[in-house]
Amino acid sequence: QSALTQPASVSGSPGQSITISCTGTSSDVGGYNYVSWYQQHPGKAPKLMIYDVSNRPSGVSNRFSGSKSGNTASLTISGLQAEDEADYYCSSYTSSSTLVIFGGGTELTVL
Amino acid sequence: QLQLRESGPGLVKPSETLSLTCTVSGDSITTNNHYWGWIRQPPGKGLEWIGSIYSGTTFYNPSLKSRVTIFVDTSKNQFSLRLSSVTAADTAVYFCARNLANCRGGPCYSRYFFGMDVWGQGTTVTVSS
């Protein structure tokens, strides 16, 4: 099964809000509430930012929020800060044989 | 504080078996019934789920299933990955990670598809002769 579809890159200025989309199908994003979002800085391990579509782990800033509509999940970052510049990946359960799939990743640039 | 650390050879020859171990420190690997998984990232590319394990139950990415084995050693608080018949396409940074556990309203439970909340630093494995 193909990876979930994310934009290759997004950008925003400090203080602005941006949204990263993650599009799948009714077999994954649209059918289940098991979408997670990860932040990865260069050379570092991914960090869980959102799980189960919209839940934030303890310690993650409330500037990060998640939502879902149909087959598309979204990660919104408000009040952009320089430290938010990183790659972001979505992930979902899938009822296909693949079981767990990731998006291709989105590079966020803070201008 | 829970920490995960991957260890193993950084260079593996084509057709041989890649073996990595993830050592869990700061808590028991059996606490809260977490699943534990492996994820890899080829150079300059995205993340790929390899598989996850809880006790004796495993789930594998079907694209790798014929070559992958994940097992747990609770006495050493470790879990391990073996990937056989490797090729250059298996060159990647390999991460071990813990799946979240849901502890609301009763005994904790985890699933291999829950978000991964604790990660190792990753280890680079190159497949080359």
Side-chain angles (χ1 to χ4, degrees):
Chain A
Q1 176 165 350
S2 300
L4 302 173
T5 301
Q6 298 181 232
S9 62
V10 298
S11 62
S13 300
Q16 288 186 331
S17 294
I18 64 94
T19 296
I20 300 172
S21 62
C22 171
T23 301
T25 69
S26 58
S27 295
D28 40 69
V29 174
Y32 306 91
N33 290 324
Y34 295 120
V35 177
S36 299
W37 289 92
Y38 299 90
Q39 175 193 66
Q40 186 180 35
H41 287 108
K44 300 296 186 182
K47 176 185 177 182
L48 181 65
M49 307 303 285
I50 296 288
Y51 67 95
D52 294 354
V53 176
S54 60
N55 293 308
R56 272 189 313 276
S58 173
V60 172
S61 170
N62 59 10
R63 298 186 299 105
F64 292 83
S65 62
S67 62
K68 187 181 81 167
S69 177
N71 294 337
T72 298
S74 298
L75 173 71
T76 298
I77 308 174
S78 60
L80 266 181
Q81 299 178 359
E83 67 205 51
D84 300 332
E85 187 163 287
D87 293 329
Y88 291 84
Y89 292 91
C90 61
S91 176
S92 174
Y93 167 76
T94 172
S95 57
S96 77
S97 60
T98 314
L99 303 180
V100 176
I101 52 173
F102 282 91
T106 298
E107 181 180 20
L108 169 61
T109 300
V110 180
L111 302 171
Chain B
Q1 180 184 355
L2 185 74
Q3 290 186 323
L4 279 60
R5 189 174 189 91
E6 305 90 350
S7 59
L11 181 64
V12 182
K13 290 182 169 55
S15 81
E16 295 189 344
T17 296
L18 177 162
S19 295
L20 297 175
T21 295
C22 183
T23 299
V24 180
S25 61
D27 200 357
S28 169
I29 199 170
T30 59
T31 300
N32 290 340
N33 304 319
H34 288 278
Y35 266 84
W36 303 85
W38 289 93
I39 304 92
R40 70 181 183 178
Q41 186 171 35
K45 296 188 177 181
L47 301 169
E48 180 181 32
W49 177 72
I50 298 172
S52 294
I53 187 168
Y54 162 66
S55 186
T57 300
T58 53
F59 292 90
Y60 299 132
N61 186 324
S63 69
L64 300 170
K65 188 173 183 177
S66 63
R67 300 192 291 129
V68 170
T69 303
I70 297 176
F71 57 96
V72 171
D73 187 336
T74 55
S75 67
K76 295 182 179 179
N77 225 34
Q78 296 175 333
F79 63 105
S80 298
L81 167 71
R82 286 186 183 155
L83 182 65
S84 64
S85 305
V86 297
T87 69
D90 295 310
T91 293
V93 176
Y94 285 75
F95 297 99
C96 60
R98 183 185 78 170
N99 290 98
L100 283 165
N102 186 331
C103 299
R104 296 189 295 268
C108 295
Y109 68 93
S110 182
R111 297 291 183 267
Y112 62 89
F113 47 82
F114 283 4
M116 295 183 151
D117 64 339
V118 182
W119 292 66
Q121 63 186 18
T123 187
T124 299
V125 178
T126 301
V127 178
S128 175
S129 55

